């Protein structure tokens, strides 16, 4: 049959990989959006600051405080999210597309999701572009308007995801979060620190601690 011949020539391999990539992207989306991002539980003690590493540069006069909303003892780098109604460990930001916070437990999966999504968009953009052949006529525009709009939409999403991924990787390489980067002047443990970023341990170690 024609399908067997296409399989023998390897023509079905690329569409299969693309479908698997899209499926992986969808599964990652639901995983990141539905999982616990690192909510601070009421029964946890303030000393149980998991995954933060040794931070000797933080001044001793900075005291960990009790959250004014959910009344739990906030570990270092935690922040209360009013949309989730929880304090989140190593809070990065609340993502409106995921309807969930990005924090200590799902941050690395969020980066993987962005990377897979970028791959899907680049591949989809390539497919859309390869299907376009340009002619300066109204008839051409009528026949290709859907494909052209699809390509432009994919291009916009690709730029957004690429910029977000690059920004996230930069912050990870500095061992800081979006919240700390944007509002460092309002965060007590950064205000009283002698260093601009007391968590930075070098690019290689920062990346190793985050992903491994």
């Amino acid at each position: 049959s024609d399908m067997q011949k296409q399989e023998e020539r390897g023509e079905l391999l690329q569409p299969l990989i693309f479908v698997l990539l899209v499926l992986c992207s969808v599964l990652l989306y639901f995983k990141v959006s539905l999982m616990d991002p690192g909510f601070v539980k009421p029964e946890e003690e303030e000393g149980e600051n998991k995954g933060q590493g040794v931070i000797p540069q933080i001044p001793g006069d900075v005291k960990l405080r009790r959250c004014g909303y959910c009344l739990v003892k906030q570990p270092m780098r935690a922040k209360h999210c009013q949309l989730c109604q929880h304090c989140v460990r190593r809070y990065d930001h609340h993502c409106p597309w995921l309807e969930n916070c990005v924090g200590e437990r799902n941050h690395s999966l969020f980066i993987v999701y962005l990377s897979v999504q970028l791959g899907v968009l680049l591949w989809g953009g390539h497919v859309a572009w390869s299907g376009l052949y340009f002619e300066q006529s109204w008839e051409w525009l009528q026949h290709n308007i859907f494909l052209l709009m699809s390509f432009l939409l994919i291009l916009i999403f690709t730029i957004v995801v690429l910029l977000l991924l690059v920004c996230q990787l930069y912050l990870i390489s500095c061992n800081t979060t979006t919240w700390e980067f944007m509002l460092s002047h309002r965060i007590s443990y950064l205000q009283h620190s002698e260093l601009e970023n007391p968590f930075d341990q070098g690019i290689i170690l920062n990346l190793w601690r985050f992903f491994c």
Side-chain angles (χ1 to χ4, degrees):
S1 65
D2 292 339
M3 185 169 289
Q4 287 179 330
K5 292 179 181 178
Q6 287 179 329
E7 186 178 359
E8 290 174 359
R9 292 195 298 265
E11 294 177 2
L12 296 180
L13 184 60
Q14 285 191 1
L16 179 61
I17 294 174
F18 181 75
V19 170
L20 290 175
L21 204 60
V22 172
L23 181 62
C24 180
S25 173
V26 173
L27 291 175
L28 280 169
Y29 172 84
F30 284 108
K31 175 67 175 176
V32 177
S33 63
L34 296 176
M35 74 180 295
D36 178 355
F39 295 137
V40 181
K41 304 297 189 298
E43 64 272 11
E44 293 176 351
E45 297 295 329
E46 63 183 51
E48 295 176 349
N49 195 5
K50 302 174 184 177
Q52 297 302 321
V54 180
I55 310 163
Q57 297 92 343
I58 295 297
D61 58 345
V62 177
K63 297 180 179 179
L64 302 185
R65 66 186 185 88
R66 190 174 291 276
C67 176
Y69 295 97
C70 53
L71 302 178
V72 298
K73 294 178 181 177
Q74 282 188 336
M76 188 72 72
R77 310 186 80 178
K79 180 186 180 296
H80 183 85
C81 175
Q82 297 199 33
L83 294 173
C84 292
Q85 294 297 310
H86 283 286
C87 285
V88 180
R89 292 180 178 275
R90 202 180 183 280
Y91 175 86
D92 188 83
H93 69 285
H94 183 92
C95 181
W97 305 106
L98 297 172
E99 275 299 320
N100 195 13
C101 284
V102 175
E104 184 180 77
R105 294 191 62 189
N106 65 349
H107 199 168
S108 56
L109 274 180
F110 178 68
I111 299 300
V112 175
Y113 164 70
L114 288 179
S115 303
V116 173
Q117 189 64 51
L118 181 61
V120 170
L121 287 167
L122 289 173
W123 198 333
H126 171 71
V127 171
W129 178 261
S130 63
L132 287 171
Y133 60 95
F134 294 95
E135 294 180 8
Q136 293 182 350
S137 66
W138 176 249
E139 185 180 355
W140 174 88
L141 186 61
Q142 284 182 316
H143 284 88
N144 291 272
I145 185 65
F146 178 75
L147 194 59
L148 188 60
M149 289 180 64
S150 298
F151 175 75
L152 292 176
L153 192 62
I154 290 173
L155 181 61
I156 292 170
F157 279 115
T158 301
I159 293 172
V160 172
V161 172
L162 179 61
L163 289 176
L164 182 56
L165 181 60
V166 169
C167 289
Q168 283 287 311
L169 290 174
Y170 169 75
L171 294 175
I172 291 166
S173 68
C174 299
N175 197 2
T176 189
T177 63
T178 303
W179 172 58
E180 291 171 342
F181 182 77
M182 299 293 291
L183 296 172
S184 59
H185 60 285
R186 294 175 54 184
I187 302 174
S188 59
Y189 58 81
L190 294 179
Q191 285 179 327
H192 295 88
S193 174
E194 296 178 359
L195 301 175
E196 184 177 352
N197 180 12
F199 304 106
D200 189 5
Q201 296 178 307
I203 294 176
I204 296 176
L205 190 56
N206 290 339
L207 292 173
W208 175 265
R209 285 183 178 278
F210 182 84
F211 288 106
C212 304

